[in-house]
C-alpha cells in the first residue's frame, strides 16, 4: 500500500517544478532499485519517483519510462539499442584516456562494462566542471546513437558516446553504458514499470484527496488502476499513445482513449503444449472446442489502417511488410468490399501452386516446410527475387471496421472472419478447422493435417467467456498438439547461443559445437542448458560461424550463469535457435532452471538443431519455468521410467 503523500520520498537528487528531470535523479532511483530484490519495494521506489516526475516534469514521463524499460520507441518502429561490447570498450578507453587492453582486463575481472566505465571515470582527474545531464537530452542522444548508420557509423557512434560519457557524473556512467548495451540489469521487469506507472498516475490524479481516503479505499483504487492499465497496454502496446492519454485523462479515461488500433501490433496470444490427445478432452471438460491446422510458417498479424495502408507484423511486432511485399500485394484480393479496417491473426506459410507436368498429369498445390520460407531474405526483398510463394491462412479476426473484437467469443470472431474475407486460390484461405468431440475425431483430423504438411493442430476454446482473445498470454484456452509430441520427442525449445567450441577434423574453420542457454527474467541471467553439435549441415555451420564471429566477446558476461560449462569463446546473447531433445535430465554441469526442481540445473540429452528463430529475441527464449514444466511432465508421462533421470 502506498504511503501517504507526507512520506513521499524526495529522493537524493531534487529538482524544481517545470525543470527537466536530472539524469542523476533517475540514476539514483536505479541504484535504489538495484539495491533490493523485493518486487514490492522495487515498485514502491519507482512509483515514488514517477509521482515526482508527473508533478514536476510531466513532459519527461514518456522518456523516463522508456529509459526504465531500456527501449527508445515502440517495438514496431524498430529502433533499438544493443551496442556491441568492442565499440563500447573503445568509447570508454578514449573517453577516460585508458588503454583498450586495460579496459578489457577490468571487464574480465568485473564482468560488467557499466561498472568498468564507472571505475574508469572515478579514477580520472576532472579538469573542469561539466554541466549535469538531463533526461530529455540523454534520451535524444541515445536515439541518435541508435539511428546512426552508413559510412563510418562506428566512429560516429564512438564520438557520440564519448561526448555523453564526458558529461557523466557519480553513478551515471554505469547506467548509461548499460542502457547503451541494451540491458539495465537492475532487476526492473517491464511489468513492474507498468504497475508503477499506473500507481503513480492514480496517486497524482488523487492529489490532496488522497488523505481523505482510507488505506483500504486507496489500495482498491491502486489495484483497479493497475489492472486497467495492464489490460489497455496489452491491447495497445505503445507508451507513445498510452502515456499522454494517462496524463490527460487519468486511468478513468484510459479505456475510452486507448483501444486496439490498426497500425499498432498487439502481442499475440500463445498456446500451451499438450502431450496427448486425451489431455485435450480433460482440459475442455465438455465445453465446445475447435481444432485447426497448425501451419508451419511464420505468424503474420495483418493490419489494414483506415487510410488504406496495409502492414504485416511478426510475432515479435517487427514490421515485416518489407519481407513480404508479395503478401502486401495479395491481401487486398481476399477482402470483401465491406471492410474498411481490420486486424487479422494469421500464419504465412510457404506454398507451391498446382503444376501441370510434361506428361499432362497435374501435381496438386501443397504446403511447403518452414525451411523453404526461411530461405527468403528478411530485408530488401524485391518482388522479382521471390522464388518461394507464401499463402496466408487466417485464423482470427481481432478488429473490424473501427471495432475491437477481442472480447467476442472465437465462434463469433470466426463468423466475422468468414463473412468479410474470402479464399483466393494460392493466396488466402481460412485455417482449416473441425469442431471435434472425441479422441478418435481429433486423432483422424491430426493425421490428416500432418499428411498435408502441417505441424499438427491448435485446439481452441470455441465459445463462452474462456474463448476471448487474450493478447500476450500463453493461455490454457489454446493448446498445441504437435506431431512431435506424439512421437515422444516433446516440444522444441528456443534457446540462446552464448558460447562456441572450436571445431575439430572437418570443422576446424568453424565452430563445431555451441553452448546454449535459456533466459531467466527474474534474475536477469542466461542459464546454460547444453552443448550442441548435432543437426547442422556444413552450410549451416559456415553461416553460423559468419553470424556468431561478429558477436564474439572478450569473456563471459557477468550475467551468464554458465555453471561448469567451458566454451572456447563467448558471444553476445542475440541468436535464438529452435532445438529438439530426446529428453531432459538433471545436470551437475548446467544451470537451467536450477532451484526449481532441485539445486542442480536441467540439461538436454541429445539436443538437435532445428532452425534459427529470428522472430524471437534472446529474452523471449524458453523460460526456466517452461523447462521445469517439460521436465516434470516427462516424469509424469514416462511409462518405463525413461526420461527425467540423471544426466549420463
Ligand atoms: P511459442 O509457444 O513460444 O509461441 P512458437 O512461436 O514456436 O512458440 P508454437 O509453439 O509453434 O509457437 O505454436 C504457436 C504458433 O503456431 C503461433 O504463434 C503461430 O505462428 C502458429 N500457428 C499456425 N497455425 C495456427 C493456428 N491455426 N492458430 C494459431 N496459431 C497457429
Amino acid at each position: 500500500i502506498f504511503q501517504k503523500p507526507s512520506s513521499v520520498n524526495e529522493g537524493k537528487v531534487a529538482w524544481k517544478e517545470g525543470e527537466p528531470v536530472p539524469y542523476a535523479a533517475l540514476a539514483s532511483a536505479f541504484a535504489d532499485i538495484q539495491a533490493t530484490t523485493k518486487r514490492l519495494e522495487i515498485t514502491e521506489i519507482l512509483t515514488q519517483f514517477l509521482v515526482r516526475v508527473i508533478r514536476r516534469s510531466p513532459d519527461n514521463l514518456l522518456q523516463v519510462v522508456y529509459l526504465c524499460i531500456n527501449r527508445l520507441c515502440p517495438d514496431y518502429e524498430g529502433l533499438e539499442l544493443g551496442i556491441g561490447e568492442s565499440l563500447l570498450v573503445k568509447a570508454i578507453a578514449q573517453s577516460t584516456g585508458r588503454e583498450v587492453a586495460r579496459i578489457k582486463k577490468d571487464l574480465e575481472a568485473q564482468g560488467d562494462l557499466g561498472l568498468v566505465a564507472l571505475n574508469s571515470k572515478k579514477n580520472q582527474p576532472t579538469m573542469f566542471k561539466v554541466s549535469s545531464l538531463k533526461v530529455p537530452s540523454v534520451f535524444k542522444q541515445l536515439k541518435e546513437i541508435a539511428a546512426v548508420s552508413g559510412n563510418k557509423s562506428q566512429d560516429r557512434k564512438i564520438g557520440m558516446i564519448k561526448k555523453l560519457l564526458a558529461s557523466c557524473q557519480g553513478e551515471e556512467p554505469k547506467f548509461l553504458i548499460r542502457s547503451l548495451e541494451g540491458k539495465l540489469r537492475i532487476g526492473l521487469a517491464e511489468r513492474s514499470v507498468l504497475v508503477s506507472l499506473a500507481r503513480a498516475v492514480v496517486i497524482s490524479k488523487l492529489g490532496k484527496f488522497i488523505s481523505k481516503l482510507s488505506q483500504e479505499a486507496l489500495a482498491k483504487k491502486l489495484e483497479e488502476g493497475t489492472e486497467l492499465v495492464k489490460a489497455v497496454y496489452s491491447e495497445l502496446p505503445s507508451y507513445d499513445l498510452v502515456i499522454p492519454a494517462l496524463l490527460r485523462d487519468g486511468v478513468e479515461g484510459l479505456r475510452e482513449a486507448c483501444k486496439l488500433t490498426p497500425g499498432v501490433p498487439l502481442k499475440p496470444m500463445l498456446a500451451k503444449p499438450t502431450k496427448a490427445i486425451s489431455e485435450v478432452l480433460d482440459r475442455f471438460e465438455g465445453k465446445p472446442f475447435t481444432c485447426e491446422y497448425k501451419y508451419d510458417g511464420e505468424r503474420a498479424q495483418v493490419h489494414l489502417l483506415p487510410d488504406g495502408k496495409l502492414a504485416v507484423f511478426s510475432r515479435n511486432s517487427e514490421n515485416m511488410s518489407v519481407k513480404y511485399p508479395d503478401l502486401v500485394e495479395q491481401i487486398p484480393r481476399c477482402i470483401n468490399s465491406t471492410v474498411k479496417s481490420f486486424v487479422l491473426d494469421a500464419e504465412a506459410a510457404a506454398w507451391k501452386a498446382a503444376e501441370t507436368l510434361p506428361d499432362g498429369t497435374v501435381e496438386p498445390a501443397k504446403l511447403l516446410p518452414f525451411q523453404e520460407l526461411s530461405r527468403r531474405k528478411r530485408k530488401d526483398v524485391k518482388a522479382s527475387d521471390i522464388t518461394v510463394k507464401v499463402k496466408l491462412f487466417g485464423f482470427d479476426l481481432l478488429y473490424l471496421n473501427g471495432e475491437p473484437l477481442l472480447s467476442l467469443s472465437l465462434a463469433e470472431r470466426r463468423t466475422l472472419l468468414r463473412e468479410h474475407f474470402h479464399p483466393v486460390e494460392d493466396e488466402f484461405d481460412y485455417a482449416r478447422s473441425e469442431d471435434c468431440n472425441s479422441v478418435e475425431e481429433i486423432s483422424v483430423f491430426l493425421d490428416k493435417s500432418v499428411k498435408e504438411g502441417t505441424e499438427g493442430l491448435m485446439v481452441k476454446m470455441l465459445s463462452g467467456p474462456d474463448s476471448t482473445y487474450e493478447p500476450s498470454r500463453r493461455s490454457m484456452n489454446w493448446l498445441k498438439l504437435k506431431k512431435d509430441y506424439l512421437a515422444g520427442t516433446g516440444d522444441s525449445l528456443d534457446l540462446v547461443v552464448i558460447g562456441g567450441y572450436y571445431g575439430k577434423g572437418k570443422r576446424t574453420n568453424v565452430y563445431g559445437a555451441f553452448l546454449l542457454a535459456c533466459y531467466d527474467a527474474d534474475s536477469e541471467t542466461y542459464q546454460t542448458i547444453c552443448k550442441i553439435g548435432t543437426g547442422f549441415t556444413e552450410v549451416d555451420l559456415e553461416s553460423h560461424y559468419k553470424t556468431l564471429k561478429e558477436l564474439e566477446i572478450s569473456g563471459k558476461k557477468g550475467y551468464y550463469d554458465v555453471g561448469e560449462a567451458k566454451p572456447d569463446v563467448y558471444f553476445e546473447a542475440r541468436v535464438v535457435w529452435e532445438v529438439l531433445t530426446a529428453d531432459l535430465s538433471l545436470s551437475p554441469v548446467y544451470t537451467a532452471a536450477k532451484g526449481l526442481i532441485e539445486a542442480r540445473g536441467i540439461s538436454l540429452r541429445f539436443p538437435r538443431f532445428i532452425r534459427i528463430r529470428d522472430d524471437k529475441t534472446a529474452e523471449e527464449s524458453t523460460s526456466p519455468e517452461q523447462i521445469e514444466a517439460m521436465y516434470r511432465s516427462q516424469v509424469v508421462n514416462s511409462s518405463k521410467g525413461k526420461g527425467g533421470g540423471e544426466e549420463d
Side-chain angles (χ1 to χ4, degrees):
I1 291 175
F2 186 76
Q3 294 151 36
K4 290 288 166 86
S6 57
S7 66
V8 169
N9 178 359
E10 271 307 306
K12 293 174 198 110
V13 183
W15 76 99
K16 291 206 188 87
E17 199 172 319
E19 282 183 354
V21 180
Y23 186 56
L26 181 65
S28 156
F30 284 167
D32 290 345
I33 289 169
Q34 191 173 15
T36 174
T37 51
K38 297 195 186 102
R39 175 114 20 108
L40 286 180
E41 232 169 82
I42 290 173
T43 310
E44 181 62 23
I45 295 166
L46 188 60
T47 304
Q48 299 222 8
F49 180 65
L50 294 182
V51 169
R52 289 159 67 206
V53 173
I54 294 171
R55 283 183 186 164
R56 287 172 202 168
S57 327
D59 292 350
N60 292 177
L61 182 64
L62 181 62
Q63 295 147 345
V64 165
V65 167
Y66 273 132
L67 289 172
C68 286
I69 56 171
N70 231 305
R71 289 217 305 267
L72 299 170
C73 55
D75 285 343
Y76 55 92
E77 286 181 14
L79 190 64
E80 286 177 324
L81 283 169
I83 310 279
E85 186 184 286
S86 61
L87 198 144
L88 288 174
V89 166
K90 275 189 209 155
I92 297 170
Q94 291 182 19
S95 157
T96 57
R98 300 183 70 214
E99 281 171 23
V100 164
R102 293 209 67 108
I103 303 277
K104 282 192 174 164
K105 228 169 162 197
D106 287 357
L107 178 60
E108 239 165 75
Q110 298 168 11
D112 172 9
L113 208 49
L115 217 55
V116 174
L118 180 73
N119 293 333
S120 302
K121 281 280 291 184
K122 254 190 205 152
N123 300 328
Q124 184 193 20
T126 34
M127 308 222 237
F128 34 83
K129 200 170 161 12
V130 289
S131 60
S132 65
L133 285 172
K134 307 285 186 234
V135 161
S137 98
V138 171
F139 185 70
K140 183 164 163 271
Q141 291 181 67
L142 289 177
K143 262 189 135 162
E144 285 167 1
I145 292 168
V148 171
S149 65
N151 201 10
K152 298 228 164 110
S153 63
Q154 302 270 326
D155 289 345
R156 278 159 61 210
K157 278 188 188 181
I158 292 179
M160 292 157 94
I161 297 169
K162 260 169 62 182
K163 199 171 129 219
L164 255 177
L165 267 177
S167 309
C168 279
Q169 296 166 330
E171 292 270 316
E172 293 171 346
K174 180 162 98 190
F175 298 113
L176 181 75
I177 288 293
R178 288 185 181 180
S179 284
L180 286 160
E181 282 184 297
K183 199 87 201 67
L184 261 185
R185 276 174 291 113
I186 54 170
L188 184 58
E190 184 170 353
R191 57 177 183 276
S192 305
V193 177
L194 205 56
V195 171
S196 307
L197 173 67
R199 292 167 70 90
V201 169
V202 170
I203 289 157
S204 306
K205 291 278 168 193
L206 280 171
K208 55 184 185 325
F209 292 107
I210 210 166
S211 55
K212 300 210 163 56
L213 291 178
S214 67
Q215 282 290 12
E216 290 69 32
L218 177 59
K220 190 159 172 269
K221 272 203 174 304
L222 292 173
E223 185 59 36
E224 285 170 358
T226 303
E227 286 314 306
L228 189 82
V229 171
K230 276 195 203 157
V232 167
Y233 184 77
S234 76
E235 263 186 51
L236 190 73
S238 164
Y239 292 105
D240 287 9
L241 300 173
V242 170
I243 288 186
L246 273 173
L247 286 172
R248 197 179 54 237
D249 308 324
V251 287
E252 287 78 16
L254 195 60
R255 259 263 165 254
E256 231 0 83
C258 293
K259 291 191 177 143
L260 172 60
T261 303
V264 182
L266 61 165
K267 300 274 173 227
M269 180 163 172
L270 300 171
K272 292 247 187 199
T274 18
K275 278 251 166 191
I277 297 178
S278 55
E279 231 181 84
V280 170
L281 294 178
D282 292 347
R283 161 69 195 118
F284 291 109
E285 290 173 333
K287 293 185 191 137
F289 63 88
T290 184
C291 299
E292 288 174 356
Y293 277 14
K294 183 176 189 312
Y295 296 93
D296 192 10
E298 186 169 9
R299 189 131 183 194
Q301 201 181 89
V302 186
H303 291 226
L304 174 67
L305 282 66
D307 64 5
K309 239 206 245 139
L310 258 179
V312 181
F313 296 101
S314 71
R315 178 189 191 284
N316 212 6
S317 305
E318 207 182 314
N319 195 330
M320 297 201 297
S321 310
V322 281
K323 180 180 174 188
Y324 290 118
D326 46 341
L327 253 189
V328 173
E329 191 256 334
Q330 270 162 230
I331 289 165
R333 290 193 279 274
C334 69
I335 309 170
N336 294 350
S337 59
T338 45
V339 176
K340 306 292 173 236
S341 58
F342 69 81
V343 176
L344 173 78
D345 206 353
E347 187 82 351
W351 181 255
K352 187 167 175 300
E355 197 185 352
T356 309
L357 301 174
D359 65 3
T361 51
V362 178
E363 204 175 85
K366 64 173 181 191
L367 284 165
L368 295 176
F370 174 82
Q371 277 68 17
E372 295 294 326
L373 191 68
S374 65
R375 289 206 194 135
R376 285 177 67 131
K377 287 206 290 179
R378 286 194 84 77
K379 288 193 178 119
D380 308 324
V381 180
K382 286 197 220 101
S384 55
D385 294 346
I386 294 172
T387 50
V388 185
K389 215 181 148 35
V390 288
K391 180 166 176 177
L392 193 67
F393 293 91
F395 53 78
D396 217 320
L397 189 61
L398 313 181
Y399 183 97
L400 181 70
N401 293 342
E403 290 301 324
L405 311 176
L406 304 179
S407 55
L408 298 186
S409 70
L410 174 56
E412 291 165 317
R413 300 198 302 276
R414 189 187 264 178
T415 305
L416 288 171
L417 172 68
R418 293 184 179 183
E419 275 171 14
H420 291 86
F421 293 76
H422 55 266
V424 175
E425 195 178 1
D426 298 330
E427 293 187 355
F428 176 80
D429 208 343
Y430 317 124
R432 176 146 314 165
S433 67
E434 217 163 85
D435 303 343
C436 305
N437 287 311
S438 65
V439 170
E440 289 69 35
E441 280 174 15
I442 300 175
S443 174
V444 169
F445 194 51
L446 178 63
D447 281 348
K448 194 165 149 219
S449 78
V450 172
K451 273 199 196 100
E452 287 184 30
T454 76
E455 271 192 300
L457 297 178
M458 295 289 287
V459 191
K460 302 176 178 177
M461 189 75 87
L462 186 57
S463 51
D466 288 339
S467 70
T468 58
Y469 191 92
E470 302 166 71
S472 77
R473 280 205 57 205
R474 189 175 297 285
S475 169
M476 283 301 283
N477 300 318
W478 276 23
L479 301 180
K480 46 187 175 183
L481 196 55
K482 290 197 205 174
K483 61 179 177 222
D484 286 341
Y485 305 164
L486 304 179
T489 27
D491 199 6
S492 57
L493 295 94
D494 299 313
L495 300 167
V496 192
V497 192
I498 63 161
Y501 300 81
Y502 295 127
K504 294 197 186 97
K506 269 211 285 189
R507 296 181 171 184
T508 34
N509 294 325
V510 292
Y511 309 116
F514 306 87
L515 178 63
L516 300 185
C518 64
Y519 181 68
D520 179 30
D522 288 338
S523 61
E524 294 185 279
T525 56
Y526 288 91
Q527 301 178 331
T528 54
I529 188 161
C530 68
K531 176 178 173 181
I532 182 170
T534 309
F536 304 102
T537 62
E538 273 170 44
V539 178
D540 282 343
L541 286 175
E542 269 165 36
S543 123
H544 294 330
Y545 183 76
K546 241 166 96 193
T547 315
L548 291 163
K549 184 75 195 157
E550 302 214 336
L551 298 177
E552 260 190 32
I553 46 180
S554 54
K556 181 174 82 70
K557 299 241 182 209
Y559 51 95
Y560 289 0
D561 183 2
V562 298
E564 300 300 317
K566 292 189 180 64
D568 297 319
V569 286
Y570 284 99
F571 306 121
E572 301 267 8
R574 296 270 166 78
V575 173
V576 180
W577 288 348
E578 183 173 351
V579 166
L580 266 179
T581 181
D583 54 54
L584 300 93
S585 55
L586 290 168
S587 162
V589 178
Y590 300 105
T591 58
K594 70 175 184 189
L596 295 181
I597 306 275
E598 55 171 76
R600 288 180 291 172
I602 293 176
S603 75
L604 306 186
R605 296 205 315 151
F606 311 121
R608 184 157 54 85
F609 170 79
I610 304 293
R611 61 166 89 150
I612 301 172
R613 289 292 308 246
D614 41 21
D615 59 338
K616 279 195 171 181
T617 63
E619 293 184 11
E620 285 170 330
S621 55
T622 304
S623 67
E625 290 73 23
Q626 283 173 290
I627 291 165
E628 177 199 3
M630 283 172 161
Y631 178 86
R632 289 192 193 279
S633 88
Q634 157 186 283
V635 176
V636 172
N637 280 286
S638 134
S639 50
K640 300 184 202 101
K642 179 181 142 285
E646 306 277 320
E647 190 175 39
D648 291 340

